[in-house]
Amino acid sequence: MFGQHFLILPIVLPLIAAPLCILLGHRQLAWLLATLVSGLSFVISISLLLAALDQGVLSYAVGGWEAPWGIEVRLDVASAMVLSVVTGISTLVLIYAKASIETEIDTSQHTLFYTAHLLCLTGLSGILSTGDAFNLFVFLEISSLATYTLVSLASDKRSLTAAFRYLVMGTIGATFILIGVGMMYMQTGTLNMLDLADRIAAIGGSRTLNTGLAFILVGVSVKLALFPLHMWLPPAYTHSPSAVSAFLASTATKVAVYVMVRFIFTIYGAEYVFHTMGMDLILLVLAIVAIFKCSFMAMAQSNVKTVLAYSSVAQIGYMILGISLASAAGLMAGLLHVFNHALMKGALFMAVGAVLYRTGSVDIKAFRGLGKKMPLTMAAFVIAGMSIVGVPLTAGFVSKWYLVTAALEQQHWLIAFLILLGSLLAVIYIFRIIEAAYLKKPIESAANKDIKEAPLLMLVPMWILALANIYFGLDTSLSVAAAQSASDWLALSTLSEGGVQ
Amino acid sequence: MNIWSALDPSQLINLTISVPLIGGAVVVLLAKHPNWRETASITTAVILFTLVLAITDHTFNQVPMAVSWGSTFPNIEIAFEVEPLGVLFALVASFLWIITTIYAIGYMRGHKERKQTRFFLCFALAISTVMAICFSANLLTLFIFYELLTLSTYPLVTHASTEAAKRGGRVYLGILLGTSVAFLLFAMIGTWVTAGTLDFTPGGVFNDTQSKGMVALLLVLFCYGIGKAALMPFHRWLPAAMVAPTPVSALLHAVAVVKAGVFSILKVVIYIFGIDNLGQIVTTDLMLYIAALTVLLASCVAMTKDNLKARLAYSTVSQLSYIIVGALLATSIAAAGASLHIVTHAVGKITLFFCAGAIMVASHKKNVSEMVGLGRQMPLTMISFAIGAISIIGLPPMAGTWSKWYLVVGALEADKLIIVVVLTISSLLNVAYLLPLPIKAFFNASGEKQPPWSWSEVKEAPLLILIALAVTTSACLALFFNPQPVIDLINLIPDVSTEITGSRP
Amino acid sequence: MSFIVDYYNYWVVVFLMMVGFYTVIVANNLVKKIVGLNIFQTSVFILYISMGKVSGGSAPIVAEGITIYSNPLPHVLILTAIVVGVATTAVGLALVVRIKRAYGTVEENEFKDKDDLI
């Protein structure tokens, strides 16, 4: 009886808890509630992922109205996998946030932070589980609105302009998606994703559908910060509270990547998008430019959070690159990187947040000599940094391995080479920071004397993510199997083994 | 000689990798008690050496040894398997580790270096990864530990934490990580996609079904991807790494790291391409001539260097390319010469580095030009230097003679006269940049009248350093008079033999 | 000519959309940017609403003798989108208020630091 409603719990639980956080009014209680709810969602998502691996697809008719009339909540392996990542990271970030936001957010607004965080989680879970294209837009906006609020909560006034810029670009992107969905509806008369897929396949393409696809891809690209539509991301990640940066970097953009995968593979079909429309070439070029341009930008920054933000844009390039290879192996590599990148960027932003907590600055100068003063934090930073670089035995190596293999399988030697070259740029921007932490003498000043290790509540989630980077670098059976069956599932009808060519 | 006979042979592999790690942990625990810490280091090194001896014993008895740590990727395992070439390298590395540890204790204390615990820890980590490289059963395992070796030696290179050390570290890491990620990983995945396997297979994994161009490209990628072999133009990291303390330069940059590079190349040539197939690959000759050019150019650069360690570094670059030349000559005897050169160059070059360090500790001199007349102060060191230098040059009665001999015979067998010429010229260049140092040290060229020499002038390096020097110097001599055990081991490597076949296969 | 007349609703939509978009890009005043964003969104609402119209159809209430109904679904959808739009405007304006407090201005060209530009 209760079992069938399980599917909708990751959406409903945070939604109910969000207003409760304000009603409680007490920040400690709000933290406890938010963490518990998020943790519960995580447990549920894991059980859903296991069920999806077992049964293939889980479906739930909201309000008892059957699809295609009602809204369908639908989880397959791909969405269950991303859902587990999102709820898991959310829980860790919430544990971490308690200490972290003390210095970064005004005390009176702590309950608001938890509320907004839970709303954001609602939106993200909703995007991942819905089977309805319009519903997806609504959840996207719920999460986005919550995100704008989260970014603006920082006491740094630049967070306000960053949030405003994010709001303007994000709204334009969302409206583009709305237009695209409208055009699909105009042509097909349905909003259910499976129905849409059937009817689009039957129609086989028309000018309306093409325009709709273009609008959707541009809109989603804004949300996932694909170069050159990434301009909102660096300021937003730089100036928002560290807990928010960690959460957004490892979940929000990943969910947007998922949305793109959903639209390309489930609704339109890879054959249509890549073969008829030739989108693979456009995405491929943009992805490669993103990797190189943004890695170079990351090298030139002195604010470590900005470095990580640009690095995120570059890493998103890898995910899109995997997708644009238009093969089952490429899609799988892209999804795997979604998962692995969430682990590494979460840990990195948490480490930087811990530094901000203790030193009050995230400039690269503030990192000098921290290898001695905050050994655990910097060790976590090094592990996650190695993962970004793609050193063997870390999760980053696994994604790189699969990306290059996918590229080589289609004889794209140049692309494979560019992927590896791109990761060399990561060496430079990560080692700049490591070098400052371990090899430079700290600036001697009274304030610097008593810098000590970050509090336990920050260290624990940070280290869970850092160790996860190593675990998933050693034992890939879990992550690879999930990504594999996800890509198999998505590409079931539309992709042959060797790609659409 | 096998004190570990009670153990399952395959477990020995795990032990060789884990013993240095445990030793490293003990070193950290004993950080507060320097004497006990150093005892732990030496004990670990000795235990490791006995383990490798046990493995050698089993190898001669043809006992198969293999162990798997489970798979990272579907169908590719992190696995280890003993084969003779790896045993050879493991023997060299573990034996010289004992000596270097003794030396390092003398050096670090004599030089009053800071952060000694971190130093000995990273040292142990590096040796552990070297052992894993020696016994890796497939390319992925080799690659993983190759990268870990780079990372674990980075703190050693930047040990001094000065601006120069940082710059050196940057070049070191940049070139080694850069080439391995851009070329080696690429070549490895290319091999995986082309041949469908990464296992080291006697005779090679490629056959006629793969496209010729692809295999040719892969060979180039492997040669440059293994940046630790310091093939020009990716050799800059080796001189840059000389900012490290001398024991590091001695063990890691004359033995462990650079030999891991050429060892990997030999391993790839023998077990991925196959010696017999190598001759048919179009790029083999190209890479061979690049290696020959490196031999000559690096020797020429070495002559211009006044800093002793820099001169030795360029000498190492040149000598490493001997091994690459031997590997790429595609004859079994040249490959044997290359394998032997791993050993002989290791003992010769480590002697030279030990001398450089001894001079630095005792007289604080770094440049060759300052060492005129130093023989009066440090006669023992200078004699060792002369012996090491003669071994590197390849003159009897030193170990280097044999490896050069086999290399030249291999070149003749392959009808590559130009390589013979290169090897000869290079030996002359070696004479020109190595021998002036002991000559000037003993025979003062200034012509001034000197008082007769007496023992009271002697100001030698600490005793531990001298002990280490004596061991490596006598190894140089011993390997000339009795190279047979090493040659027996080399003859066990598939497709490699010191027998002259008389005609090109 | 009929191309223009027949699709006049789309022309209205495109015109409004471009007006809104232009305002967002060009306006110097943050409030005006929000207004532009609103116009931009509104154009999409009209796209949806006009989409639901079926020529000759009546209001979608079941009654005797009527066989052609307009499609009510886009109207319902757009109610949700309007709510989203209002919420976005509210968040945007709230941000503008806080920017005014923090910087003392809502004119983009009056920000001192170039990094703060939107």
Side-chain angles (χ1 to χ4, degrees):
Chain A
M1 158 64 203
F2 188 62
Q4 57 170 337
H5 299 294
F6 242 50
L7 260 178
I8 203 161
L9 284 184
I11 309 175
V12 174
L13 279 178
L15 185 63
I16 296 173
L20 282 181
C21 276
I22 296 194
L23 290 177
L24 283 172
H26 190 279
R27 60 198 175 93
Q28 309 276 5
L29 285 177
W31 171 74
L32 202 63
L33 178 72
T35 313
L36 284 179
V37 163
S38 175
L40 194 58
S41 306
F42 176 60
V43 173
I44 295 171
S45 324
I46 289 288
S47 66
L48 289 175
L49 175 62
L50 295 178
L53 279 170
D54 190 37
Q55 300 165 25
V57 72
L58 311 165
S59 172
Y60 174 82
V62 177
W65 303 95
E66 293 296 328
W69 296 283
I71 292 171
E72 186 192 15
V73 169
R74 198 181 162 80
L75 267 182
D76 54 33
V77 182
S79 43
M81 173 182 153
V82 186
L83 184 65
S84 315
V85 175
V86 168
T87 49
I89 299 267
S90 154
T91 314
L92 290 176
V93 166
L94 278 171
I95 297 172
Y96 170 88
K98 182 169 181 297
S100 166
I101 61 175
E102 274 169 20
T103 53
E104 294 182 59
I105 300 179
D106 195 66
T107 322
S108 61
Q109 284 170 331
H110 282 190
T111 47
L112 283 180
F113 166 82
Y114 297 119
T115 310
H117 183 102
L118 285 174
L119 281 176
C120 188
L121 183 61
T122 310
L124 296 176
S125 309
I127 297 170
L128 294 168
S129 8
T130 186
D132 183 284
F134 189 83
N135 204 230
L136 188 143
F137 159 78
V138 175
F139 278 123
L140 196 63
E141 278 309 80
I142 291 179
S143 71
S144 298
L145 285 169
T147 313
Y148 310 144
T149 322
L150 284 173
V151 171
S152 73
L153 277 177
S155 36
D156 182 355
K157 70 176 178 180
R158 281 171 300 181
S159 71
L160 296 172
T161 47
F164 193 85
R165 187 200 285 211
Y166 188 7
L167 180 130
V168 170
M169 285 194 71
T171 306
I172 291 173
T175 312
F176 269 40
I177 297 174
L178 187 62
I179 298 170
V181 171
M183 296 205 161
M184 289 199 305
Y185 179 70
M186 227 187 252
Q187 185 79 47
T188 62
T190 179
L191 287 169
N192 183 285
M193 289 186 187
L194 289 184
D195 268 11
L196 273 171
D198 286 346
R199 295 191 196 178
I200 287 175
I203 295 166
S206 73
R207 195 179 290 176
T208 315
L209 283 178
N210 292 352
T211 320
L213 177 67
F215 269 112
I216 287 175
L217 283 188
V218 173
V220 179
S221 299
V222 174
K223 290 281 180 188
L224 62 76
L226 178 61
F227 182 88
L229 301 170
H230 67 286
M231 295 312 292
W232 59 268
L233 190 144
Y237 282 14
T238 309
H239 302 306
S240 61
S242 308
V244 176
S245 312
F247 183 57
L248 294 186
S250 41
T251 58
T253 42
K254 308 295 169 294
V255 170
V257 172
Y258 163 84
V259 171
M260 178 175 264
V261 169
R262 203 33 93 184
F263 273 108
I264 291 179
F265 290 92
T266 309
I267 298 183
Y268 275 90
E271 174 74 21
Y272 182 79
V273 178
F274 293 137
H275 210 198
T276 319
M277 298 281 288
M279 282 293 172
D280 50 348
L281 195 63
I282 297 175
L283 289 179
L284 186 70
V285 171
L286 289 181
I288 288 178
V289 176
I291 293 170
F292 281 89
K293 169 87 198 317
C294 293
S295 298
F296 276 116
M297 291 298 285
M299 280 179 224
Q301 306 300 322
S302 67
N303 183 319
V304 176
K305 271 173 115 177
T306 321
V307 172
L308 296 183
Y310 274 109
S311 150
S312 285
V313 183
Q315 298 289 324
I316 287 162
Y318 286 111
M319 298 165 206
I320 300 301
L321 184 73
I323 294 168
S324 70
L325 286 174
S327 70
L331 174 60
M332 187 224 141
L335 285 176
L336 192 63
H337 197 51
V338 166
F339 174 76
N340 289 337
H341 182 246
L343 300 179
M344 35 187 148
K345 255 318 142 42
L348 283 175
F349 269 115
M350 282 184 183
V352 174
V355 172
L356 180 61
Y357 182 77
R358 284 300 186 205
T359 68
S361 164
V362 285
D363 197 89
I364 197 158
K365 286 199 189 84
F367 276 69
R368 285 188 182 173
L370 282 188
K372 265 233 157 78
K373 291 187 167 159
M374 304 177 73
L376 288 173
T377 307
M378 286 319 294
F381 186 93
V382 170
I383 293 175
M386 292 294 131
S387 194
I388 290 264
V389 173
V391 170
L393 305 184
T394 59
F397 178 69
V398 180
S399 3
K400 206 158 55 179
W401 172 276
Y402 279 101
L403 264 176
V404 175
T405 317
L408 283 187
E409 258 174 23
Q410 298 183 49
Q411 311 293 326
H412 290 318
W413 287 78
L414 184 65
I415 295 172
F417 188 67
L418 289 175
I419 293 171
L420 294 174
L421 215 57
S423 62
L424 287 184
L425 301 179
V427 176
I428 298 176
Y429 61 72
I430 290 292
F431 266 89
R432 263 180 68 216
I433 302 164
I434 293 179
E435 211 180 78
Y438 285 95
L439 295 180
K440 290 214 169 127
K441 295 256 176 330
I443 311 161
E444 292 303 329
S445 72
N448 264 355
K449 276 265 158 54
D450 39 70
I451 292 173
K452 48 179 196 262
E453 190 50 86
L456 195 65
L457 266 184
M458 295 172 100
L459 282 176
V460 169
M462 187 196 308
W463 269 93
I464 291 179
L465 283 180
L467 292 178
N469 268 306
I470 293 185
Y471 178 77
F472 287 106
L474 286 172
D475 179 17
T476 54
S477 53
L478 192 65
S479 52
V480 170
Q484 185 75 56
S485 55
S487 76
D488 286 352
W489 173 256
L490 284 168
L492 209 54
S493 53
T494 49
L495 272 184
S496 56
E497 194 53 41
V500 284
Q501 281 79 12
Chain B
M1 69 191 209
N2 188 352
I3 58 166
W4 301 94
S5 51
L7 275 175
D8 176 24
S10 296
Q11 286 309 314
L12 289 173
I13 301 178
N14 286 336
L15 278 177
T16 52
I17 298 168
S18 50
V19 160
L21 289 181
I22 299 167
V26 175
V27 162
V28 173
L29 287 178
L30 296 175
K32 294 267 166 2
H33 314 279
N35 286 335
W36 286 107
R37 181 187 65 196
E38 262 72 299
T39 317
S41 282
I42 294 182
T43 318
T44 319
V46 171
I47 295 175
L48 181 69
F49 184 59
T50 58
L51 283 168
V52 178
L53 277 183
I55 289 182
T56 319
D57 202 34
H58 286 306
T59 313
F60 277 115
N61 294 332
Q62 313 276 351
V63 180
M65 280 168 278
V67 56
S68 166
W69 285 7
S71 55
T72 312
F73 300 111
N75 305 324
I76 314 176
E77 288 184 321
I78 296 188
F80 302 94
E81 193 178 359
V82 173
E83 49 78 44
L85 184 62
V87 175
L88 183 74
F89 181 35
L91 268 177
V92 174
S94 60
F95 175 66
L96 292 178
W97 188 34
I98 307 178
I99 314 299
T100 313
T101 310
I102 298 172
Y103 178 85
I105 296 165
Y107 180 88
M108 297 301 268
R109 293 190 174 179
H111 225 230
K112 299 192 178 55
E113 291 270 357
R114 299 175 304 119
K115 297 185 236 166
Q116 295 192 12
T117 306
R118 190 180 83 173
F119 175 86
F120 285 108
L121 170 69
C122 287
F123 225 110
L125 287 181
I127 288 296
S128 167
T129 52
V130 168
M131 289 300 133
I133 290 175
C134 291
F135 300 127
S136 49
N138 56 42
L139 262 180
L140 181 73
T141 318
L142 183 87
F143 177 78
I144 288 174
F145 289 98
Y146 179 95
E147 293 286 55
L148 289 182
L149 180 59
T150 311
L151 293 176
S152 63
T153 46
Y154 174 73
L156 291 173
V157 172
T158 55
H159 188 83
S161 297
T162 57
E163 200 53 47
K166 229 177 306 167
R167 224 176 306 121
R170 234 177 264 161
V171 175
Y172 182 77
L173 205 64
I175 292 183
L176 287 186
L177 269 188
T179 50
S180 68
V181 168
F183 303 129
L184 182 57
L185 181 58
F186 193 42
M188 180 169 74
I189 299 179
T191 310
W192 170 242
V193 174
T194 325
T197 177
L198 291 178
D199 290 339
F200 291 125
T201 319
V205 297
F206 295 109
N207 51 37
D208 292 339
T209 53
Q210 282 98 24
S211 95
K212 288 251 179 334
M214 180 84 89
V215 177
L217 177 67
L218 286 177
L219 180 69
V220 177
L221 286 172
F222 272 118
C223 285
Y224 276 125
I226 301 172
K228 290 195 170 90
L231 196 59
M232 277 185 178
F234 294 110
H235 65 287
R236 280 284 309 140
W237 65 270
L238 186 53
M242 289 303 149
V243 294
T246 308
V248 175
S249 311
L251 182 64
L252 299 180
H253 302 123
V255 185
V257 174
V258 290
K259 293 293 148 56
V262 285
F263 168 77
S264 307
I265 286 196
L266 270 174
K267 195 120 180 179
V268 164
V269 163
I270 297 175
Y271 294 101
I272 295 290
F273 289 98
I275 298 263
D276 294 342
N277 302 335
L278 202 61
Q280 289 138 34
I281 301 172
V282 280
T283 46
T284 305
D285 280 352
L286 174 73
M287 298 318 293
L288 178 67
Y289 292 127
I290 290 178
L293 208 61
T294 307
V295 169
L296 290 181
L297 284 179
S299 299
C300 293
V301 178
M303 271 196 283
T304 66
K305 296 286 171 188
D306 191 33
N307 183 310
L308 180 55
K309 277 175 81 178
R311 187 177 282 198
L312 294 179
Y314 274 101
S315 161
T316 306
V317 173
S318 149
Q319 298 287 322
L320 290 175
S321 280
Y322 274 60
I323 301 172
I324 304 176
V325 165
L328 292 175
L329 276 171
T331 62
S332 67
I333 195 160
S339 313
L340 190 58
H341 202 62
I342 290 186
V343 184
T344 55
H345 174 247
V347 287
K349 194 45 74 60
I350 205 167
T351 310
L352 296 185
F353 271 112
F354 281 174
C355 293
I359 295 170
M360 214 183 288
V361 171
S363 67
H364 304 288
K365 284 177 179 157
K366 286 183 176 172
N367 293 333
V368 177
S369 52
E370 300 164 355
M371 295 176 190
V372 178
L374 203 60
R376 298 174 75 89
Q377 270 182 45
M378 310 181 70
L380 300 177
T381 310
M382 278 305 161
I383 291 169
S384 302
F385 193 97
I387 292 176
I390 292 171
S391 178
I392 295 285
I393 295 163
L395 292 176
M398 304 303 159
T401 321
W402 295 122
S403 49
K404 288 223 173 155
W405 166 263
Y406 285 123
L407 281 173
V408 171
V409 172
L412 285 173
E413 203 174 317
D415 281 337
K416 295 250 171 18
L417 278 180
I418 187 150
I419 298 296
V420 180
V421 174
V422 167
L423 292 180
T424 320
I425 294 178
S426 161
S427 288
L428 291 176
L429 289 171
N430 288 346
V431 173
Y433 66 76
L434 284 178
L435 280 187
L437 179 63
I439 291 176
K440 280 184 188 166
F442 284 118
F443 308 103
N444 195 342
S446 63
E448 282 170 40
K449 194 99 172 88
Q450 294 271 342
W453 179 77
S454 74
W455 276 104
S456 59
E457 277 182 65
V458 173
K459 205 178 131 232
E460 271 288 0
L463 182 66
L464 285 175
I465 291 186
L466 291 182
I467 293 175
L469 257 179
V471 175
T472 55
T473 315
S474 32
C476 284
L477 282 162
L479 279 176
F480 174 79
F481 293 108
N482 188 16
Q484 206 51 47
V486 178
I487 290 175
D488 287 344
L489 190 60
I490 288 172
N491 279 328
L492 290 177
I493 307 171
D495 298 338
V496 174
S497 143
T498 49
E499 295 291 315
I500 298 175
T501 48
S503 67
R504 200 181 166 177
Chain C
M1 194 62 197
S2 71
F3 177 66
I4 296 174
V5 175
D6 286 354
Y7 294 102
Y8 74 95
N9 56 331
Y10 295 124
W11 290 112
V12 171
V13 168
V14 170
F15 175 74
L16 278 179
M17 194 184 279
M18 288 307 124
V19 168
F21 209 16
Y22 181 78
T23 316
V24 172
I25 295 167
V26 169
N28 198 20
N29 183 305
L30 300 186
V31 179
K32 285 182 185 163
K33 271 187 195 291
I34 298 280
V35 171
L37 210 55
N38 261 310
I39 297 174
F40 181 67
Q41 288 180 306
T42 309
S43 72
V44 183
F45 302 161
I46 293 174
L47 172 76
Y48 267 73
I49 292 167
S50 61
M51 187 201 302
K53 170 72 182 165
V54 177
S55 41
S58 84
I61 301 164
V62 182
E64 286 281 319
I66 298 172
T67 49
I68 304 173
Y69 298 104
S70 285
N71 185 350
L73 186 64
H75 300 183
V76 180
L77 292 178
I78 226 57
L79 270 178
T80 318
I82 288 171
V83 174
V84 170
V86 170
T88 312
T89 313
V91 174
L93 288 176
L95 281 175
V96 174
V97 170
R98 286 188 59 197
I99 288 174
K100 168 78 179 168
R101 274 193 209 138
Y103 288 87
T105 177
V106 291
E107 300 287 333
E108 227 190 312
N109 56 2
E110 288 173 16
F111 287 157
K112 291 216 174 56
D113 194 345
K114 209 163 72 65
D115 289 345
D116 293 345
L117 286 186
I118 288 161

